[in-house]
Amino acid sequence: MSELDDLLRSEAEHAEQNKDAPSTPETKVTRGHDRARVLQVRLNEDELAAVTTIAEDSNLPVSTLVRSWILERIQEPESGPTATVDRIARDLDRLRRQLAS
């Protein structure tokens, strides 16, 4: 086993034994990506329930589902009949996959 393997194993064991230890000012929490900004969106109870149901049906966290909707919209800003038909076709395909699972 290499030194790196030994170090990783040791750090993993230490982390497991101290998982409730308080963080320090030097602690940096990351999720391994560049999405560091948070957007808050206010929904009423019915809207949140509807989004939550869609997320559960899709086996996704609510935030992942909503992020995917936003990114789809950003990536496809065009409008018009062709864009609308393309969007409907994608939505139908997504629905077909959800119903099949």
Side-chain angles (χ1 to χ4, degrees):
M1 199 176 282
S2 73
E3 281 186 44
L4 179 58
D5 290 333
D6 290 338
L7 177 61
L8 291 173
R9 180 177 271 85
S10 172
E11 288 298 318
E13 289 171 4
H14 179 75
E16 283 300 314
Q17 292 169 0
N18 297 288
K19 55 183 156 189
D20 295 325
S23 56
T24 66
E26 294 82 29
T27 303
K28 181 178 178 184
V29 178
T30 65
R31 294 197 176 226
H33 54 72
D34 61 348
R35 289 197 169 104
R37 301 300 307 253
V38 174
L39 172 67
Q40 291 185 355
V41 178
R42 297 188 185 279
L43 303 172
N44 65 35
E45 291 298 323
D46 292 337
E47 293 165 340
L48 180 58
V51 171
T52 301
T53 298
I54 295 168
E56 288 171 354
D57 291 346
S58 302
N59 294 317
L60 293 171
V62 172
S63 62
T64 300
L65 177 71
V66 173
R67 183 183 314 108
S68 73
W69 289 344
I70 292 168
L71 293 175
E72 283 177 18
R73 184 65 180 174
I74 289 170
Q75 293 168 1
E76 300 177 26
E78 32 179 294
S79 60
T82 303
T84 301
V85 170
D86 290 343
R87 181 185 51 77
I88 292 170
R90 280 191 309 279
D91 290 346
L92 285 172
D93 187 51
R94 186 179 308 120
L95 178 59
R96 187 177 296 112
R97 287 191 311 268
Q98 288 174 353
L99 293 173
S101 59

